[in-house]
Amino acid sequence: MRLVTADWVLPISGPPMRRGAVLVDGERIARVGPAIELEREAVSVERSDFDGCALMPGLVNAHTHLALTAFGGLLGPDEFTAWLGRLAGGIRALQPSDIEASARLGAARSLACGVTTVGDIAYGAVSMRAAEGLGLGGVFFWEVLGLRASELDAYLEDAGFPHPGATPPDATPGISPHAVYSSGPELIRAARRVADERAVPFCMHVAESQAEDDLVHRGEGPLRRLATRLADDFVTPHSSTVAYLDRLGVLDHAIAVHGVRLDAEDIATLARRHTAVVLCPRSNDFLKVGVAPMDQLEEAGVALALGTDSAASNEDLDLFEEARALMRLHSGLTAASVLALVTSGGAGVLGLDDDRGRLEQGLRADLAAVRIGPTERPEEALVETAGTSAVEAVMSGGEWRIRHGSAALDTGAIEREASSVREKALLALERAGEDSGR
Ligand SMILES: [Zn+2]
């Protein structure tokens, strides 16, 4: 048994608790309560005291591409289609072992900022393996694009899509057709069928950019060529992306990422279909695609979560920074509601809320101890100042993964390994730039 105490404990399901404690038994939370009570009951346990800190559930980053972390800082803010083209060129220059090192870097940086659960999209099992090795859990979506529907089963087999019961204990597989411009209608439908048959989550990038709007409404714009190449049965639906996906019958309990370009009818459809939306405010800003209508989505009862998206379209993978960006855009948000979004909200959207996202008896012992200093308002202190440098310790499944001043996780070695991948990616991007400039 382990007893973890802190100045404040934020269970998320209830109000902050001064001088609180969490008792951990194996990989589960045994009790949450006032430190003075738990100390009396739990004698001869291993103790960790975090003075000046808030103890909260491990954060849930509901949309990442950990395998793209090595591209962080290499692709400046850009127009969406140009960015996508440059990124694809960079990815092609990397070997599978490079992608793996990049995913490990993403997993390490996620843990370092208090994230213990991700909703990650990757080509194959690369992120799942990297995350599992470091103690990061979540839903790992197999990305599907540029295939015919008839090729899907063979692709999933080839890309190591796990057979039922064959996933690591803390990972759930999922399926994600990339977007309407890279997956044709029959492929999207087939992916949805596989998700239903195997009872796994289904996720897509939805209504992200003006370019996507131009394609679905009028069959034109910069994504037209890509759609012709990757989705050969794509026929201009002359409607919004959401209306199109609804006609394909794939939105029920799906996860829609971005959801920037939504009108009132789209929002009503998402609510009716119980489609959840993952907001990615900093990625949207990076790619200049606009701001998702969060208030209207919330009002319609659409379940929401927050994600950083990949390091290729963001400053970093720090979910506290993402939360601050969201608060700057939506002045009505309270600190408590944003903290719920990055914990229980994310867990709910990923279908993991009976297992994590709150500090409650029986849930997975995923904890983050974050330095906030002396304060009477721990929630505000967290959303105003927290970030990677303030994270003192992170536990997932009852094990310490990050521990200030100890080598629970050798982030330095992972950073060094990924730096050569970064150089390779940079070289590929420069070469592609020269080619297109000719
Ligand atoms: Zn994405």
Side-chain angles (χ1 to χ4, degrees):
M1 298 263 250
R2 289 173 162 165
L3 186 69
V4 188
T5 71
D7 282 3
W8 290 95
V9 166
L10 274 62
I12 301 298
S13 46
M17 199 184 297
R18 192 192 291 272
R19 283 307 309 162
V22 176
L23 185 64
V24 175
D25 186 5
E27 62 177 41
R28 299 273 146 191
I29 295 172
R31 263 198 76 186
V32 181
I36 192 161
E37 271 178 33
L38 267 62
E39 278 161 356
R40 211 178 300 133
E41 288 167 28
V43 279
S44 73
V45 294
E46 185 196 302
R47 270 191 78 138
S48 302
D49 300 304
F50 293 101
D51 297 329
C53 289
L55 193 63
M56 64 181 293
L59 274 59
V60 180
N61 188 346
H63 181 57
T64 59
H65 303 260
L66 297 176
L68 301 181
T69 307
F71 287 93
L74 299 187
L75 295 151
D78 211 339
E79 184 274 324
F80 180 74
T81 314
W83 170 86
L84 194 65
R86 295 188 66 212
L87 177 62
I91 294 170
R92 276 195 297 273
L94 299 184
Q95 300 297 316
S97 60
D98 298 331
I99 306 265
E100 192 130 0
S102 179
R104 251 195 312 278
L105 180 65
R109 286 189 182 166
S110 298
L111 284 163
C113 78
V115 167
T116 53
T117 300
V118 291
D120 189 82
I121 301 181
Y123 201 77
V126 59
S127 291
M128 190 174 79
R129 274 200 306 270
E132 190 213 359
L134 301 181
L136 178 70
V139 179
F140 297 88
F141 293 95
W142 261 248
E143 185 155 65
V144 172
L145 78 164
L147 301 171
R148 299 226 162 101
S150 58
E151 298 167 328
L152 179 62
D153 284 345
Y155 156 71
L156 288 174
E157 191 63 40
D158 196 46
F161 189 74
H163 293 277
T167 29
D170 190 33
T172 305
I175 294 186
S176 176
H178 173 252
V180 292
Y181 50 82
S182 51
S183 294
E186 285 314 313
L187 180 62
I188 294 172
R189 273 205 184 109
R192 176 75 220 204
R193 266 198 303 276
V194 174
D196 290 344
E197 277 163 23
R198 308 221 189 164
V200 299
F202 178 87
C203 173
M204 268 186 88
H205 295 91
V206 171
E208 182 174 1
S209 64
Q210 172 75 51
E212 183 179 332
D213 252 7
D214 291 344
L215 178 73
V216 290
H217 282 286
R218 288 179 301 283
E220 58 192 33
L223 287 173
R224 176 78 247 184
R225 256 179 58 202
L226 197 65
T228 309
R229 188 157 63 81
L230 294 176
D232 64 359
D233 58 341
F234 178 82
V235 177
T236 307
H238 296 287
S239 73
S240 70
T241 296
V242 167
Y244 169 51
L245 292 174
D246 195 33
R247 279 200 302 281
L248 293 182
V250 300
L251 283 180
D252 273 328
H253 296 276
I255 300 168
V257 179
H258 294 289
V260 174
R261 309 195 58 92
L262 303 172
D263 62 21
E265 213 170 300
D266 294 333
I267 292 169
T269 302
L270 294 174
R272 196 169 60 244
R273 297 294 181 201
H274 302 281
T275 310
V277 171
V278 182
L279 306 164
C280 304
R282 284 193 301 163
S283 172
N284 296 340
D285 183 50
F286 192 95
L287 298 172
K288 305 180 180 70
V289 294
V291 176
M294 179 190 183
D295 299 338
Q296 291 88 323
L297 285 164
E298 205 161 39
E299 213 167 288
V302 174
L304 299 176
L306 190 66
T308 57
D309 210 337
S310 80
S313 64
N314 206 334
E315 303 281 309
D316 51 55
L317 300 176
D318 191 324
L319 202 61
F320 283 113
E321 291 292 349
E322 202 68 38
R324 274 192 283 284
L326 191 75
M327 289 192 89
R328 280 194 293 275
L329 291 172
H330 306 277
S331 52
L333 279 175
T334 64
S337 65
V338 172
L339 290 175
L341 198 67
V342 296
T343 52
S344 59
V349 164
L350 295 176
L352 300 170
D353 48 335
D354 57 355
D355 188 51
R356 63 189 75 188
R358 307 178 308 279
L359 299 182
E360 278 176 21
Q361 188 179 346
L363 265 58
R364 215 178 123 81
D366 286 2
L367 312 172
V370 188
R371 208 178 326 109
I372 52 171
T375 178
E376 292 300 308
R377 302 161 73 230
E379 293 162 316
E380 283 79 2
L382 267 173
V383 297
E384 280 161 21
T385 63
T388 302
S389 61
V391 172
E392 286 282 326
V394 179
M395 174 186 278
S396 75
E399 300 275 336
W400 291 113
R401 312 294 180 173
I402 301 280
R403 198 74 199 264
H404 200 67
S406 93
L409 174 67
D410 190 354
T411 319
I414 295 170
E415 293 273 355
R416 280 193 298 281
E417 184 193 28
S419 70
S420 66
V421 180
R422 247 177 92 77
E423 277 162 30
K424 220 188 244 191
L426 181 61
L427 215 64
L429 291 171
E430 283 172 355
R431 219 175 291 134
E434 283 162 18
D435 287 349
S436 67
R438 259 178 222 152

